[in-house]
Amino acid sequence: MNVHITGTGSGIPARLVANGELAKTLDTSDEWIVSHTGIRARRIAGPDESTATLATAAARTALARAGVKPEDLGIIVLATSTPDYGAFPSCACLVQRDIGAVNAGAFDLFAACTGFIYALETARSLMLRDPRPALVIGADVMTRIVDWKDRNTCVLFGDGAGAVVLQASDRPGGLRDSILRADGTGSQHLVHEGGCRTPESGPWQKATLQMQGRQVFNFAVKAFDETVRALLAREKLTLDDVRWIVPHQANIRIIEATARRLDIGMDRFYVNIDELANTSAGTIPLALDQMIREEKLHSGDTIVLVGFGAGLTWGGTLIKW
Ligand code: COA
């Protein structure tokens, strides 16, 4: 049995905030942000938008494109770091309710910016036991947990959700191989407090993201490079066989540094960080959806998805489209 992505969708807030708007209230500039990150704008969720509403919008489109009815879904796996509620109900259950997936199980998965890679492999593995279609979502509203006074971090993030539908079939290809990795010894490099460990930090919503940017940058380039090499080695492929590398969109300079290490051109990487910034678990499915709309993915293309982020976590998935 092979598992294919048969539909994709996006959920993006209406409000677009360009760098210049941030520079009105923060000691920063469009020039600094573009030159250090590649980001020109981000979407920011409005009062009526949340991780669940963006995820639901993405899910509806993905299901329609796949031609799958909500009641036919067997499982919903939603990767997020910013669930609507602190602990429960899960965002996946809110999506399940709103799309009417009455026969599906649903749960959230926490692996920060690597969440979509973890969710994809989790759903694929579950489908080996129950081959009904699966819905995999990466969704975050990072702008609700950043410290808007910290120019080192707040300029990097945006809000958005991407969804994919997985279906089992005998057609060759599909999700071929995955690598999931973690290194908790680096957990202090990227932290959002407010859980049970730090009750003194107050309500969950009050805690803000803390990051050691340089350490995260160095980790990301190494993890990115190693994941691509390891997946290709396992599949006995070379970089020449790969049409697209679709990375987590954290910083254009992370992608450029990896391109140099792999000795391939930037034209082999799909990049949309300029308009959406880092939407955490959302970046990879949002990129896939945009690639499909731009007709950049064709049957038989080999692509490599790569995620990395807090935890520390990292991983990749090799797909024959
Ligand atoms: N506007 C203007 N200046 C800024 C700024 C901003 N938004 N953010 C930081 N600066 C300043 C710093 O204060 C520092 O000033 P100083 O030299 O006077 O202290 C200067 O720019 C350089 O800071 P530095 O930390 O050396 O910049 P950098 O080149 O390492 O870039 C990051 C900083 C955060 C962009 C970079 O480290 C990064 O992208 N790290 C990875 C982050 C990430 O992707 N996290 C998510 C992973 S999933």
Side-chain angles (χ1 to χ4, degrees):
M1 183 184 92
N2 298 313
V3 173
H4 289 266
I5 293 175
T6 56
T8 61
S10 298
I12 296 173
R15 184 170 166 229
L16 184 147
V17 176
N19 293 341
E21 196 174 329
L22 297 185
K24 288 180 189 161
T25 54
L26 198 65
D27 181 15
T28 188
S29 65
D30 180 52
E31 192 279 327
W32 192 96
I33 300 172
V34 172
S35 62
H36 285 73
T37 71
I39 297 166
R40 292 180 188 278
R42 74 283 296 135
R43 300 292 179 121
I44 298 189
D48 297 333
E49 291 170 319
S50 69
T51 297
T53 70
L54 299 175
T56 299
R60 287 201 169 109
T61 307
L63 286 166
R65 294 224 181 96
V68 169
K69 296 193 200 75
E71 57 268 33
D72 293 338
L73 288 172
I75 195 78
I76 299 171
V77 188
L78 189 152
T80 189
S81 303
T82 54
D84 283 31
Y85 297 93
F88 47 80
S90 70
C91 259
C93 283
L94 304 180
V95 174
Q96 179 273 336
R97 175 195 67 193
D98 291 342
I99 64 173
V102 290
N103 298 308
F107 65 97
D108 287 359
L109 182 154
F110 297 89
C113 297
T114 320
F116 182 75
I117 299 291
Y118 270 69
L120 203 57
E121 177 58 12
T122 301
R124 190 195 68 82
S125 304
L126 290 172
M127 286 174 72
L128 298 178
R129 291 178 65 87
D130 178 350
R132 288 182 293 161
L135 179 63
V136 182
I137 305 171
D140 272 303
V141 287
M142 297 299 286
T143 67
R144 298 239 166 101
I145 64 165
V146 294
D147 178 353
W148 283 104
K149 295 189 195 68
D150 178 10
R151 66 179 184 173
N152 292 288
T153 53
C154 72
V155 302
L156 303 174
F157 295 96
D159 302 332
V164 304
V165 171
L166 300 183
Q167 284 184 271
S169 82
D170 295 330
R171 184 161 69 86
L175 309 188
R176 290 253 305 258
D177 195 7
S178 275
I179 288 175
L180 305 180
R181 297 290 307 279
D183 177 10
T185 64
S187 56
Q188 74 284 1
H189 295 324
L190 194 41
V191 177
H192 177 247
E193 290 189 348
C196 301
R197 166 120 187 136
T198 50
E200 69 278 7
S201 68
W204 181 86
Q205 291 86 348
K206 294 272 161 48
T208 52
L209 179 150
Q210 311 293 325
M211 182 180 74
Q212 295 167 339
R214 189 55 61 89
Q215 283 90 336
V216 174
F217 189 100
N218 293 340
F219 145 72
V221 174
K222 190 162 172 284
F224 188 170
D225 171 50
E226 286 178 5
T227 301
V228 173
R229 289 181 195 278
L231 273 172
L232 292 179
R234 274 185 5 184
E235 292 297 308
K236 300 193 171 35
L237 297 172
T238 70
L239 281 163
D240 290 340
D241 298 313
V242 177
R243 176 66 194 89
W244 289 106
I245 296 174
V246 186
H248 170 51
Q249 312 278 316
N251 185 327
I252 190 75
R253 293 195 309 171
I254 290 173
I255 302 172
E256 288 168 348
T258 308
R260 284 194 294 276
R261 282 171 76 130
L262 291 172
D263 196 21
I264 55 175
M266 280 296 284
D267 59 339
R268 306 285 293 285
F269 297 82
Y270 188 77
V271 178
N272 65 357
I273 190 171
D274 51 331
E275 49 195 42
L276 291 175
N278 181 350
T279 55
S280 193
T283 62
I284 295 172
L286 280 167
L288 285 176
D289 185 49
Q290 197 168 331
M291 291 172 81
I292 286 176
R293 282 184 279 120
E294 293 169 356
E295 298 183 353
K296 289 199 154 74
L297 284 174
H298 303 287
S299 184
D301 283 349
T302 295
I303 67 170
V304 177
L305 317 180
V306 185
F308 43 83
L312 299 167
T313 55
W314 68 101
T317 305
L318 190 137
I319 302 175
K320 183 105 170 173
W321 199 259

mmCIF file of all heavy atoms in Angstrom, residues 19-64:
data_model
loop_
_atom_site.group_PDB
_atom_site.id
_atom_site.type_symbol
_atom_site.label_atom_id
_atom_site.label_comp_id
_atom_site.label_asym_id
_atom_site.label_seq_id
_atom_site.Cartn_x
_atom_site.Cartn_y
_atom_site.Cartn_z
ATOM 1 N N ASN A 19 6.913 44.760 6.755
ATOM 2 C CA ASN A 19 7.958 45.143 7.717
ATOM 3 C C ASN A 19 7.836 46.602 8.138
ATOM 4 O O ASN A 19 8.058 46.953 9.305
ATOM 5 C CB ASN A 19 9.340 44.912 7.099
ATOM 6 C CG ASN A 19 9.635 43.442 6.880
ATOM 7 O OD1 ASN A 19 8.987 42.589 7.489
ATOM 8 N ND2 ASN A 19 10.600 43.143 6.015
ATOM 9 N N GLY A 20 7.510 47.450 7.183
ATOM 10 C CA GLY A 20 7.428 48.882 7.464
ATOM 11 C C GLY A 20 6.442 49.200 8.573
ATOM 12 O O GLY A 20 6.665 50.128 9.366
ATOM 13 N N GLU A 21 5.376 48.413 8.647
ATOM 14 C CA GLU A 21 4.383 48.650 9.700
ATOM 15 C C GLU A 21 4.971 48.310 11.073
ATOM 16 O O GLU A 21 4.716 49.000 12.059
ATOM 17 C CB GLU A 21 3.127 47.809 9.418
ATOM 18 C CG GLU A 21 1.930 48.276 10.205
ATOM 19 C CD GLU A 21 0.645 47.533 9.814
ATOM 20 O OE1 GLU A 21 0.510 47.123 8.638
ATOM 21 O OE2 GLU A 21 -0.209 47.372 10.696
ATOM 22 N N LEU A 22 5.783 47.245 11.142
ATOM 23 C CA LEU A 22 6.418 46.894 12.420
ATOM 24 C C LEU A 22 7.398 47.994 12.838
ATOM 25 O O LEU A 22 7.541 48.295 14.022
ATOM 26 C CB LEU A 22 7.169 45.562 12.302
ATOM 27 C CG LEU A 22 6.353 44.310 11.994
ATOM 28 C CD1 LEU A 22 7.248 43.079 12.049
ATOM 29 C CD2 LEU A 22 5.198 44.150 12.977
ATOM 30 N N ALA A 23 8.062 48.572 11.845
ATOM 31 C CA ALA A 23 9.079 49.583 12.140
ATOM 32 C C ALA A 23 8.479 50.850 12.751
ATOM 33 O O ALA A 23 9.204 51.675 13.308
ATOM 34 C CB ALA A 23 9.850 49.924 10.857
ATOM 35 N N LYS A 24 7.159 50.985 12.668
ATOM 36 C CA LYS A 24 6.524 52.169 13.282
ATOM 37 C C LYS A 24 6.516 52.082 14.795
ATOM 38 O O LYS A 24 6.473 53.085 15.481
ATOM 39 C CB LYS A 24 5.080 52.306 12.775
ATOM 40 C CG LYS A 24 4.981 52.765 11.338
ATOM 41 C CD LYS A 24 3.516 52.875 10.943
ATOM 42 C CE LYS A 24 3.410 53.106 9.443
ATOM 43 N NZ LYS A 24 2.075 52.782 8.939
ATOM 44 N N THR A 25 6.514 50.845 15.332
ATOM 45 C CA THR A 25 6.419 50.694 16.788
ATOM 46 C C THR A 25 7.625 49.974 17.390
ATOM 47 O O THR A 25 7.698 49.763 18.595
ATOM 48 C CB THR A 25 5.153 49.888 17.162
ATOM 49 O OG1 THR A 25 5.185 48.661 16.442
ATOM 50 C CG2 THR A 25 3.890 50.662 16.836
ATOM 51 N N LEU A 26 8.568 49.575 16.547
ATOM 52 C CA LEU A 26 9.699 48.752 17.001
ATOM 53 C C LEU A 26 10.975 49.335 16.397
ATOM 54 O O LEU A 26 10.948 49.847 15.273
ATOM 55 C CB LEU A 26 9.475 47.332 16.465
ATOM 56 C CG LEU A 26 10.206 46.157 17.069
ATOM 57 C CD1 LEU A 26 9.761 45.943 18.521
ATOM 58 C CD2 LEU A 26 9.894 44.890 16.247
ATOM 59 N N ASP A 27 12.092 49.231 17.141
ATOM 60 C CA ASP A 27 13.365 49.748 16.631
ATOM 61 C C ASP A 27 13.941 48.760 15.611
ATOM 62 O O ASP A 27 14.838 47.973 15.904
ATOM 63 C CB ASP A 27 14.338 49.952 17.815
ATOM 64 C CG ASP A 27 15.664 50.518 17.352
ATOM 65 O OD1 ASP A 27 15.717 51.014 16.203
ATOM 66 O OD2 ASP A 27 16.629 50.456 18.128
ATOM 67 N N THR A 28 13.358 48.775 14.421
ATOM 68 C CA THR A 28 13.803 47.890 13.346
ATOM 69 C C THR A 28 13.546 48.585 12.017
ATOM 70 O O THR A 28 13.091 49.722 11.987
ATOM 71 C CB THR A 28 13.080 46.528 13.425
ATOM 72 O OG1 THR A 28 13.671 45.638 12.489
ATOM 73 C CG2 THR A 28 11.586 46.647 13.128
ATOM 74 N N SER A 29 13.859 47.895 10.924
ATOM 75 C CA SER A 29 13.657 48.499 9.604
ATOM 76 C C SER A 29 13.395 47.400 8.590
ATOM 77 O O SER A 29 13.793 46.243 8.791
ATOM 78 C CB SER A 29 14.891 49.288 9.186
ATOM 79 O OG SER A 29 15.977 48.387 9.025
ATOM 80 N N ASP A 30 12.739 47.783 7.511
ATOM 81 C CA ASP A 30 12.519 46.827 6.416
ATOM 82 C C ASP A 30 13.862 46.290 5.927
ATOM 83 O O ASP A 30 14.016 45.087 5.715
ATOM 84 C CB ASP A 30 11.760 47.533 5.279
ATOM 85 C CG ASP A 30 11.501 46.611 4.104
ATOM 86 O OD1 ASP A 30 10.959 45.508 4.324
ATOM 87 O OD2 ASP A 30 11.859 46.971 2.968
ATOM 88 N N GLU A 31 14.831 47.161 5.811
ATOM 89 C CA GLU A 31 16.155 46.757 5.296
ATOM 90 C C GLU A 31 16.776 45.679 6.195
ATOM 91 O O GLU A 31 17.279 44.670 5.706
ATOM 92 C CB GLU A 31 17.054 48.009 5.222
ATOM 93 C CG GLU A 31 18.352 47.806 4.454
ATOM 94 C CD GLU A 31 19.419 47.123 5.304
ATOM 95 O OE1 GLU A 31 19.442 47.354 6.535
ATOM 96 O OE2 GLU A 31 20.205 46.339 4.731
ATOM 97 N N TRP A 32 16.727 45.873 7.527
ATOM 98 C CA TRP A 32 17.342 44.890 8.436
ATOM 99 C C TRP A 32 16.608 43.543 8.321
ATOM 100 O O TRP A 32 17.235 42.492 8.199
ATOM 101 C CB TRP A 32 17.299 45.361 9.897
ATOM 102 C CG TRP A 32 18.187 44.511 10.795
ATOM 103 C CD1 TRP A 32 19.473 44.780 11.176
ATOM 104 C CD2 TRP A 32 17.853 43.235 11.372
ATOM 105 N NE1 TRP A 32 19.962 43.764 11.948
ATOM 106 C CE2 TRP A 32 18.994 42.783 12.085
ATOM 107 C CE3 TRP A 32 16.730 42.417 11.346
ATOM 108 C CZ2 TRP A 32 19.035 41.582 12.777
ATOM 109 C CZ3 TRP A 32 16.774 41.198 12.029
ATOM 110 C CH2 TRP A 32 17.914 40.800 12.735
ATOM 111 N N ILE A 33 15.300 43.605 8.355
ATOM 112 C CA ILE A 33 14.543 42.342 8.367
ATOM 113 C C ILE A 33 14.751 41.576 7.061
ATOM 114 O O ILE A 33 15.014 40.368 7.063
ATOM 115 C CB ILE A 33 13.035 42.598 8.628
ATOM 116 C CG1 ILE A 33 12.834 43.286 9.982
ATOM 117 C CG2 ILE A 33 12.265 41.280 8.614
ATOM 118 C CD1 ILE A 33 11.403 43.753 10.247
ATOM 119 N N VAL A 34 14.679 42.289 5.930
ATOM 120 C CA VAL A 34 14.849 41.599 4.645
ATOM 121 C C VAL A 34 16.270 41.037 4.535
ATOM 122 O O VAL A 34 16.458 39.864 4.163
ATOM 123 C CB VAL A 34 14.558 42.551 3.455
ATOM 124 C CG1 VAL A 34 14.926 41.871 2.137
ATOM 125 C CG2 VAL A 34 13.094 42.962 3.452
ATOM 126 N N SER A 35 17.270 41.836 4.893
ATOM 127 C CA SER A 35 18.649 41.373 4.702
ATOM 128 C C SER A 35 19.036 40.249 5.664
ATOM 129 O O SER A 35 19.852 39.393 5.331
ATOM 130 C CB SER A 35 19.636 42.542 4.837
ATOM 131 O OG SER A 35 19.549 43.083 6.141
ATOM 132 N N HIS A 36 18.436 40.219 6.868
ATOM 133 C CA HIS A 36 18.806 39.187 7.847
ATOM 134 C C HIS A 36 17.910 37.961 7.814
ATOM 135 O O HIS A 36 18.252 36.929 8.382
ATOM 136 C CB HIS A 36 18.803 39.765 9.267
ATOM 137 C CG HIS A 36 19.984 40.633 9.551
ATOM 138 N ND1 HIS A 36 20.130 41.896 9.021
ATOM 139 C CD2 HIS A 36 21.102 40.415 10.298
ATOM 140 C CE1 HIS A 36 21.272 42.420 9.441
ATOM 141 N NE2 HIS A 36 21.884 41.545 10.214
ATOM 142 N N THR A 37 16.723 38.077 7.170
ATOM 143 C CA THR A 37 15.781 36.945 7.236
ATOM 144 C C THR A 37 15.116 36.596 5.914
ATOM 145 O O THR A 37 14.582 35.502 5.763
ATOM 146 C CB THR A 37 14.635 37.244 8.240
ATOM 147 O OG1 THR A 37 13.772 38.248 7.675
ATOM 148 C CG2 THR A 37 15.155 37.720 9.570
ATOM 149 N N GLY A 38 15.050 37.534 4.978
ATOM 150 C CA GLY A 38 14.309 37.307 3.729
ATOM 151 C C GLY A 38 12.825 37.599 3.850
ATOM 152 O O GLY A 38 12.076 37.453 2.889
ATOM 153 N N ILE A 39 12.386 38.022 5.032
ATOM 154 C CA ILE A 39 10.939 38.261 5.269
ATOM 155 C C ILE A 39 10.574 39.702 4.895
ATOM 156 O O ILE A 39 11.251 40.648 5.306
ATOM 157 C CB ILE A 39 10.604 38.003 6.762
ATOM 158 C CG1 ILE A 39 10.861 36.537 7.112
ATOM 159 C CG2 ILE A 39 9.148 38.391 7.055
ATOM 160 C CD1 ILE A 39 10.892 36.252 8.605
ATOM 161 N N ARG A 40 9.495 39.845 4.124
ATOM 162 C CA ARG A 40 8.991 41.180 3.772
ATOM 163 C C ARG A 40 7.648 41.478 4.446
ATOM 164 O O ARG A 40 7.315 42.620 4.693
ATOM 165 C CB ARG A 40 8.808 41.306 2.249
ATOM 166 C CG ARG A 40 10.114 41.282 1.520
ATOM 167 C CD ARG A 40 9.971 41.413 0.013
ATOM 168 N NE ARG A 40 11.272 41.187 -0.589
ATOM 169 C CZ ARG A 40 12.218 42.105 -0.697
ATOM 170 N NH1 ARG A 40 11.991 43.337 -0.277
ATOM 171 N NH2 ARG A 40 13.388 41.817 -1.218
ATOM 172 N N ALA A 41 6.890 40.413 4.691
ATOM 173 C CA ALA A 41 5.564 40.594 5.295
ATOM 174 C C ALA A 41 5.159 39.301 5.981
ATOM 175 O O ALA A 41 5.762 38.245 5.763
ATOM 176 C CB ALA A 41 4.545 40.954 4.216
ATOM 177 N N ARG A 42 4.148 39.406 6.824
ATOM 178 C CA ARG A 42 3.570 38.231 7.477
ATOM 179 C C ARG A 42 2.082 38.475 7.596
ATOM 180 O O ARG A 42 1.618 39.619 7.514
ATOM 181 C CB ARG A 42 4.196 37.957 8.858
ATOM 182 C CG ARG A 42 3.812 38.853 9.987
ATOM 183 C CD ARG A 42 4.502 40.208 9.960
ATOM 184 N NE ARG A 42 5.951 40.136 10.108
ATOM 185 C CZ ARG A 42 6.833 40.812 9.375
ATOM 186 N NH1 ARG A 42 6.414 41.705 8.474
ATOM 187 N NH2 ARG A 42 8.126 40.671 9.541
ATOM 188 N N ARG A 43 1.307 37.398 7.788
ATOM 189 C CA ARG A 43 -0.117 37.532 8.061
ATOM 190 C C ARG A 43 -0.308 37.434 9.565
ATOM 191 O O ARG A 43 0.343 36.617 10.231
ATOM 192 C CB ARG A 43 -0.910 36.418 7.372
ATOM 193 C CG ARG A 43 -0.766 36.400 5.871
ATOM 194 C CD ARG A 43 -1.417 37.621 5.256
ATOM 195 N NE ARG A 43 -1.256 37.617 3.808
ATOM 196 C CZ ARG A 43 -2.288 37.627 2.954
ATOM 197 N NH1 ARG A 43 -3.531 37.660 3.397
ATOM 198 N NH2 ARG A 43 -2.067 37.640 1.654
ATOM 199 N N ILE A 44 -1.215 38.252 10.088
ATOM 200 C CA ILE A 44 -1.482 38.237 11.529
ATOM 201 C C ILE A 44 -2.965 37.992 11.771
ATOM 202 O O ILE A 44 -3.823 38.686 11.212
ATOM 203 C CB ILE A 44 -1.005 39.550 12.192
ATOM 204 C CG1 ILE A 44 0.527 39.674 12.016
ATOM 205 C CG2 ILE A 44 -1.412 39.591 13.658
ATOM 206 C CD1 ILE A 44 1.170 40.801 12.783
ATOM 207 N N ALA A 45 -3.255 36.990 12.588
ATOM 208 C CA ALA A 45 -4.647 36.598 12.845
ATOM 209 C C ALA A 45 -5.412 37.723 13.531
ATOM 210 O O ALA A 45 -4.902 38.391 14.436
ATOM 211 C CB ALA A 45 -4.669 35.335 13.712
ATOM 212 N N GLY A 46 -6.641 37.928 13.091
ATOM 213 C CA GLY A 46 -7.520 38.911 13.715
ATOM 214 C C GLY A 46 -8.261 38.295 14.892
ATOM 215 O O GLY A 46 -8.112 37.098 15.173
ATOM 216 N N PRO A 47 -9.074 39.104 15.580
ATOM 217 C CA PRO A 47 -9.750 38.624 16.794
ATOM 218 C C PRO A 47 -10.625 37.400 16.574
ATOM 219 O O PRO A 47 -10.798 36.599 17.490
ATOM 220 C CB PRO A 47 -10.605 39.822 17.223
ATOM 221 C CG PRO A 47 -10.302 40.942 16.296
ATOM 222 C CD PRO A 47 -9.347 40.501 15.261
ATOM 223 N N ASP A 48 -11.180 37.255 15.369
ATOM 224 C CA ASP A 48 -12.054 36.098 15.116
ATOM 225 C C ASP A 48 -11.303 34.906 14.535
ATOM 226 O O ASP A 48 -11.920 33.902 14.180
ATOM 227 C CB ASP A 48 -13.176 36.488 14.137
ATOM 228 C CG ASP A 48 -14.076 37.558 14.736
ATOM 229 O OD1 ASP A 48 -14.169 37.604 15.983
ATOM 230 O OD2 ASP A 48 -14.650 38.344 13.963
ATOM 231 N N GLU A 49 -9.987 35.051 14.391
ATOM 232 C CA GLU A 49 -9.207 33.959 13.806
ATOM 233 C C GLU A 49 -8.346 33.299 14.883
ATOM 234 O O GLU A 49 -7.857 33.965 15.795
ATOM 235 C CB GLU A 49 -8.322 34.495 12.678
ATOM 236 C CG GLU A 49 -9.128 34.937 11.466
ATOM 237 C CD GLU A 49 -8.296 35.698 10.442
ATOM 238 O OE1 GLU A 49 -7.453 36.524 10.831
ATOM 239 O OE2 GLU A 49 -8.504 35.470 9.239
ATOM 240 N N SER A 50 -8.153 31.990 14.746
ATOM 241 C CA SER A 50 -7.346 31.233 15.709
ATOM 242 C C SER A 50 -6.709 30.065 14.963
ATOM 243 O O SER A 50 -6.998 29.834 13.780
ATOM 244 C CB SER A 50 -8.225 30.686 16.835
ATOM 245 O OG SER A 50 -9.070 29.668 16.309
ATOM 246 N N THR A 51 -5.895 29.313 15.681
ATOM 247 C CA THR A 51 -5.294 28.127 15.065
ATOM 248 C C THR A 51 -6.382 27.223 14.492
ATOM 249 O O THR A 51 -6.282 26.738 13.364
ATOM 250 C CB THR A 51 -4.455 27.369 16.106
ATOM 251 O OG1 THR A 51 -3.387 28.222 16.533
ATOM 252 C CG2 THR A 51 -3.858 26.094 15.534
ATOM 253 N N ALA A 52 -7.460 27.015 15.257
ATOM 254 C CA ALA A 52 -8.514 26.099 14.797
ATOM 255 C C ALA A 52 -9.259 26.648 13.579
ATOM 256 O O ALA A 52 -9.574 25.897 12.658
ATOM 257 C CB ALA A 52 -9.490 25.815 15.933
ATOM 258 N N THR A 53 -9.533 27.953 13.552
ATOM 259 C CA THR A 53 -10.286 28.478 12.398
ATOM 260 C C THR A 53 -9.432 28.430 11.131
ATOM 261 O O THR A 53 -9.930 28.102 10.052
ATOM 262 C CB THR A 53 -10.791 29.926 12.629
ATOM 263 O OG1 THR A 53 -9.689 30.831 12.633
ATOM 264 C CG2 THR A 53 -11.590 30.046 13.908
ATOM 265 N N LEU A 54 -8.147 28.750 11.273
ATOM 266 C CA LEU A 54 -7.263 28.690 10.089
ATOM 267 C C LEU A 54 -7.103 27.241 9.635
ATOM 268 O O LEU A 54 -7.118 26.938 8.430
ATOM 269 C CB LEU A 54 -5.898 29.306 10.412
ATOM 270 C CG LEU A 54 -5.914 30.790 10.816
ATOM 271 C CD1 LEU A 54 -4.515 31.242 11.226
ATOM 272 C CD2 LEU A 54 -6.433 31.665 9.676
ATOM 273 N N ALA A 55 -6.976 26.343 10.598
ATOM 274 C CA ALA A 55 -6.820 24.921 10.273
ATOM 275 C C ALA A 55 -8.071 24.388 9.584
ATOM 276 O O ALA A 55 -7.987 23.596 8.630
ATOM 277 C CB ALA A 55 -6.541 24.131 11.551
ATOM 278 N N THR A 56 -9.227 24.818 10.056
ATOM 279 C CA THR A 56 -10.486 24.356 9.458
ATOM 280 C C THR A 56 -10.601 24.832 8.010
ATOM 281 O O THR A 56 -11.013 24.067 7.124
ATOM 282 C CB THR A 56 -11.684 24.856 10.297
ATOM 283 O OG1 THR A 56 -11.558 24.305 11.608
ATOM 284 C CG2 THR A 56 -13.003 24.424 9.690
ATOM 285 N N ALA A 57 -10.229 26.082 7.776
ATOM 286 C CA ALA A 57 -10.277 26.602 6.395
ATOM 287 C C ALA A 57 -9.350 25.795 5.493
ATOM 288 O O ALA A 57 -9.726 25.409 4.364
ATOM 289 C CB ALA A 57 -9.888 28.078 6.388
ATOM 290 N N ALA A 58 -8.141 25.527 5.982
ATOM 291 C CA ALA A 58 -7.179 24.747 5.184
ATOM 292 C C ALA A 58 -7.715 23.341 4.937
ATOM 293 O O ALA A 58 -7.612 22.795 3.821
ATOM 294 C CB ALA A 58 -5.834 24.678 5.912
ATOM 295 N N ALA A 59 -8.322 22.762 5.967
ATOM 296 C CA ALA A 59 -8.834 21.386 5.865
ATOM 297 C C ALA A 59 -9.942 21.286 4.838
ATOM 298 O O ALA A 59 -9.988 20.346 4.031
ATOM 299 C CB ALA A 59 -9.337 20.927 7.233
ATOM 300 N N ARG A 60 -10.850 22.262 4.847
ATOM 301 C CA ARG A 60 -11.982 22.219 3.906
ATOM 302 C C ARG A 60 -11.483 22.225 2.463
ATOM 303 O O ARG A 60 -11.964 21.458 1.625
ATOM 304 C CB ARG A 60 -12.909 23.415 4.140
ATOM 305 C CG ARG A 60 -13.727 23.283 5.410
ATOM 306 C CD ARG A 60 -14.980 24.178 5.360
ATOM 307 N NE ARG A 60 -15.865 23.838 6.459
ATOM 308 C CZ ARG A 60 -16.088 24.603 7.522
ATOM 309 N NH1 ARG A 60 -15.532 25.786 7.612
ATOM 310 N NH2 ARG A 60 -16.884 24.179 8.483
ATOM 311 N N THR A 61 -10.513 23.085 2.183
ATOM 312 C CA THR A 61 -9.985 23.156 0.816
ATOM 313 C C THR A 61 -9.280 21.857 0.441
ATOM 314 O O THR A 61 -9.453 21.331 -0.664
ATOM 315 C CB THR A 61 -9.006 24.344 0.679
ATOM 316 O OG1 THR A 61 -9.660 25.514 1.135
ATOM 317 C CG2 THR A 61 -8.567 24.539 -0.757
ATOM 318 N N ALA A 62 -8.471 21.339 1.367
ATOM 319 C CA ALA A 62 -7.728 20.102 1.074
ATOM 320 C C ALA A 62 -8.684 18.946 0.777
ATOM 321 O O ALA A 62 -8.479 18.159 -0.158
ATOM 322 C CB ALA A 62 -6.808 19.756 2.244
ATOM 323 N N LEU A 63 -9.761 18.847 1.578
ATOM 324 C CA LEU A 63 -10.738 17.766 1.357
ATOM 325 C C LEU A 63 -11.443 17.939 0.014
ATOM 326 O O LEU A 63 -11.625 16.963 -0.726
ATOM 327 C CB LEU A 63 -11.776 17.763 2.490
ATOM 328 C CG LEU A 63 -11.280 17.225 3.836
ATOM 329 C CD1 LEU A 63 -12.257 17.592 4.944
ATOM 330 C CD2 LEU A 63 -11.078 15.711 3.769
ATOM 331 N N ALA A 64 -11.819 19.175 -0.307
ATOM 332 C CA ALA A 64 -12.509 19.419 -1.583
ATOM 333 C C ALA A 64 -11.592 19.061 -2.751
ATOM 334 O O ALA A 64 -12.020 18.419 -3.721
ATOM 335 C CB ALA A 64 -12.939 20.884 -1.661
#
